[in-house]
Amino acid sequence: MAGSPPCSCRSWNAPTPRAPREPPPSRSRTGRTAPDPYAAASRLLTPDGRYGNSDSAWAIHLLGLQETLPNSRYQPLTRALPILRAVKDEDELERLAAAGAAADDAFREIVTVPFAGRRESEVAADLARLLMEKGHSQVDFTVVASDPNGANPHHEAAERTIKTGDTVVLDFGGLKDGHGSDTTRTVHVGPDVPDEVRTVHEVVRRAQQKAFETVRPGITGQEVDRLARAVITEAGYGEFFIHRTGHGIFLTTHEPPYVVEGEEQLLVPGMCFSIEPGVYLPGRFGFRIEDIVTVTETAGRRFNNTPHDLAIVS
């Protein structure tokens, strides 16, 4: 991420490690050496051509092509064709909306489970299970960050035991029917909410709402970022908003366009991205609210619609 403040991405929320898939074998089942796939592919390519490759292409295959065609060049498709991927058609938008609705359903259920006396990792496992039950085929991350852990936007879930009085950041998402979800809500364990937690909640809620109301065709991602940041700065918490305001989402949960200083790409209808301002008080707690939104012909449309109120959990 370019610009200031520094980027924290997932890359900020790295997916939960999964056993790596194996690339296709180079030998046939009979034990005989299979034909060289790179030599076969090279006959279809220009030796010094420039080609786009999938962001998830196997490195072994790309290296094989480069070895066979040493003068060829390759570029990720999200970089080579950013607008083509960033602008979704109606079917793609509805699939993203369905993924967002499924994540919302998972949140509605997670706030009914016990938090106090359980480890963050246990609540994260509940979240992962709920996402799968709501139709996700892949869970990319389940952040459960309580009190001091919530002050680190890089935190995922650990063995810390959640206590009554904690403020807990819940950030989770994955893929449903091949399309991404990503939402964040922050909850409080028990009804006795400290005044500063209520204050920070209201600041973040207003920043998120201001940024959302700004979304329309013809403005830039950095303008949305600046308006969210201005609300938090004016409230005296600007130095504690330490990441970009948002990122794109489609077939992966983090991709262009980005909502950050320096992003000058104009928003157009069909673009989808997160709006997720936050405040992080070191050693104390963090607070973030995140929705996925899309640009319509005149404004923005949310794909996450659970309340922004401070939910109380037990």
Side-chain angles (χ1 to χ4, degrees):
M1 174 189 304
S4 176
C7 158
S8 45
C9 51
R10 257 178 318 261
S11 19
W12 150 9
N13 278 325
T16 301
R18 294 185 295 273
R21 295 171 295 162
E22 293 296 330
S26 60
R27 298 178 66 86
S28 70
R29 292 185 179 181
T30 64
R32 293 177 298 191
T33 302
D36 183 347
Y38 312 114
S42 70
R43 291 192 286 272
L44 304 174
L45 304 177
T46 303
D48 59 353
R50 181 168 174 260
Y51 302 100
N53 59 276
S54 166
D55 289 14
S56 57
W58 287 104
I60 191 172
H61 296 324
L62 189 57
L63 292 168
L65 283 172
Q66 290 177 317
E67 183 178 3
T68 305
L69 298 172
N71 293 322
S72 60
R73 294 170 294 159
Y74 303 87
Q75 187 173 21
L77 285 174
T78 51
R79 189 186 307 163
L81 303 171
I83 296 302
L84 180 63
R85 186 172 174 116
V87 179
K88 286 70 173 173
D89 64 25
E90 285 302 317
D91 179 67
E92 291 164 340
L93 290 173
E94 291 313 307
R95 287 176 181 268
L96 285 165
D104 284 355
D105 287 343
F107 176 74
R108 293 185 184 98
E109 290 199 26
I110 198 65
V111 296
T112 69
V113 309
F115 276 64
R118 303 178 69 209
R119 296 189 300 273
E120 291 175 348
S121 58
E122 293 176 303
V123 178
D126 285 344
L127 262 177
R129 172 181 55 80
L130 287 169
L131 283 172
M132 298 295 284
E133 289 179 359
K134 304 306 177 183
H136 280 63
S137 59
Q138 176 177 309
V139 177
D140 281 359
F141 47 88
T142 51
V143 172
V144 178
S146 59
D147 250 29
N149 289 343
N152 175 12
H154 299 271
H155 186 78
E156 293 189 358
E159 297 309 299
R160 182 182 187 273
T161 298
I162 300 169
K163 301 177 294 185
T164 298
D166 282 357
T167 302
V168 185
V169 178
L170 304 173
D171 185 349
F172 51 99
L175 298 181
K176 180 182 186 296
D177 298 326
H179 291 66
S181 70
D182 185 1
T183 187
T184 305
R185 296 292 184 265
T186 304
V187 302
H188 192 267
V189 185
D192 296 328
V193 183
D195 289 344
E196 188 162 25
V197 172
R198 292 191 183 278
T199 297
V200 171
H201 162 240
E202 179 59 17
V203 169
V204 173
R205 186 200 65 76
R206 288 193 293 108
Q208 210 272 354
Q209 182 65 24
K210 181 68 173 179
F212 172 71
E213 291 172 354
T214 303
V215 174
R216 63 184 184 277
I219 68 166
T220 64
Q222 73 176 0
E223 290 177 85
V224 179
D225 178 84
R226 288 171 180 173
L227 287 166
R229 204 167 296 280
V231 172
I232 293 174
T233 299
E234 289 167 8
Y237 291 99
E239 66 182 293
F240 304 111
F241 181 11
I242 55 177
H243 57 72
R244 64 192 174 195
T245 295
H247 58 82
I249 190 168
F250 185 31
L251 304 181
T252 66
T253 49
H254 294 80
E255 58 184 63
Y258 296 105
V259 183
V260 66
E261 184 67 31
E263 177 56 84
E264 297 182 345
Q265 169 65 53
L266 296 179
L267 301 184
V268 300
M271 285 184 171
C272 299
F273 48 86
S274 67
I275 297 179
E276 50 182 306
V279 168
Y280 308 90
L281 302 180
R284 300 178 60 197
F285 66 90
F287 212 106
R288 185 164 67 252
I289 297 173
E290 175 186 14
D291 296 325
I292 298 300
V293 304
T294 187
V295 184
T296 71
E297 295 295 331
T298 58
R301 170 193 171 195
R302 282 189 170 100
F303 287 160
N304 296 108
N305 293 286
T306 54
H308 291 179
D309 299 339
L310 179 59
I312 304 300
V313 298
S314 61

